[in-house]
Amino acid sequence: DTEVTQTPKHLVMGMTNKKSLKCEQHMGHRAMYWYKQKAKKPPELMFVYSYEKLSINESVPSRFSPECPNSSLLNLHLHALQPEDSALYLCASSLDRGGKLFFGSGTQLSVL
Amino acid sequence: DQQVKQNSPSLSVQEGRISILNCDYTNSMFDYFLWYKKYPAEGPTFLISISSIKDKNEDGRFTVFLNKSAKHLSLHIVPSQPGDSAVYFCAASVRRNTGKLIFGQGTTLQVKP
């Protein structure tokens, strides 16, 4: 199994909603990542988890809250988002921190 | 401050010919470089990587060249195929174990049959 699975594929939410993005991998990878990608822009790093501990937070607003319940799962909890947060949210994993990243297909998020 | 730059937004190549995608970087501390390919509505797919201790790495039709003195790397695809049409991202990291990968803006490659 060489896949990183993200759900949902699409999400539309209002500014007062609370939602969660989910990511799962079963490759035994110990590092997991959240990236954000706006249209026609490169992916931008948000968070890095290494061995289930948060190791990098790229000054992301607190309305984005990551969670790593175990080595296979990564969540991104969303609350009180703004329309400018609309983007493709990509999860990735690697064997260890800094290695080759495997990306999921992403969640296309629209905030109304 | 854009540390990884892909100055060509797009490239069009005939099937069977060579595709050359270029990438420049400014941070001399980068020591690990990767190329990713991305189709619409999909996540980036890893293609090939190179460590700063090497100047060339080859994998099938894909070869990456690194020129540290010029802070430049390139991806060569030979021969190009229509299925190679996608957006190609160059990425770099400082110290392989930091986990912070910085991406270039991407180059859209179109391979014409």
Side-chain angles (χ1 to χ4, degrees):
Chain A
D1 184 0
T2 57
E3 278 194 356
V4 175
T5 304
Q6 287 188 246
T7 55
K9 291 197 182 304
H10 302 275
L11 179 62
V12 179
M13 60 186 291
M15 289 190 283
T16 58
N17 291 159
K18 283 185 183 180
K19 296 285 185 185
S20 296
L21 308 185
K22 295 186 184 302
C23 175
E24 192 169 358
Q25 59 87 13
H26 296 289
M27 294 180 277
H29 289 176
R30 302 315 300 263
M32 296 187 78
Y33 311 75
W34 282 113
Y35 278 81
K36 173 181 176 178
Q37 186 177 21
K38 302 279 268 186
K40 300 195 183 299
K41 296 286 187 184
E44 292 183 351
L45 181 66
M46 298 175 73
F47 303 104
V48 179
Y49 272 83
S50 179
Y51 288 86
E52 297 155 53
K53 286 188 170 44
L54 184 65
S55 62
I56 296 179
N57 176 341
E58 287 288 291
S59 303
V60 179
S62 59
R63 56 185 185 269
F64 295 91
S65 175
E67 178 196 19
C68 190
N70 61 56
S71 60
S72 299
L73 293 174
L74 185 67
N75 298 321
L76 186 63
H77 302 297
L78 315 173
H79 174 54
L81 294 194
Q82 304 297 310
E84 58 265 30
D85 296 322
S86 298
L88 179 67
Y89 287 85
L90 293 161
C91 174
S93 70
S94 61
L95 188 60
D96 51 26
R97 199 173 57 169
K100 179 176 74 177
L101 267 63
F102 290 79
F103 282 88
S105 295
T107 294
Q108 187 65 55
L109 175 68
S110 296
V111 182
L112 304 179
Chain B
D1 176 27
Q2 200 176 334
Q3 298 185 64
V4 179
K5 300 177 188 178
Q6 293 175 254
N7 292 318
S8 298
S10 62
L11 174 68
S12 183
V13 170
Q14 207 65 36
E15 180 179 6
R17 306 294 292 266
I18 184 171
S19 295
I20 300 176
L21 297 100
N22 293 304
C23 179
D24 297 297
Y25 61 95
T26 56
N27 189 339
S28 57
M29 299 299 290
F30 285 145
D31 58 5
Y32 187 50
F33 304 90
L34 307 90
W35 283 94
Y36 281 85
K37 170 180 172 181
K38 188 176 186 299
Y39 294 116
E42 292 185 14
T45 302
F46 171 79
L47 274 177
I48 193 167
S49 63
I50 187 166
S51 162
S52 60
I53 62 172
K54 292 187 171 184
D55 55 18
K56 177 183 173 182
N57 190 25
E58 195 171 350
D59 183 2
R61 297 187 297 116
F62 301 93
T63 303
V64 57
F65 296 91
L66 176 62
N67 182 333
K68 287 188 289 293
S69 60
K71 295 191 179 72
H72 177 84
L73 65 156
S74 61
L75 174 69
H76 292 210
I77 306 174
V78 181
S80 301
Q81 299 173 353
D84 295 330
S85 298
V87 179
Y88 288 77
F89 288 100
C90 167
S93 68
V94 179
R95 294 203 337 264
R96 196 173 173 276
N97 63 351
T98 64
K100 185 170 180 176
L101 207 56
I102 297 173
F103 285 82
Q105 297 287 94
T107 296
T108 300
L109 172 66
Q110 184 186 24
V111 179
K112 296 179 179 176

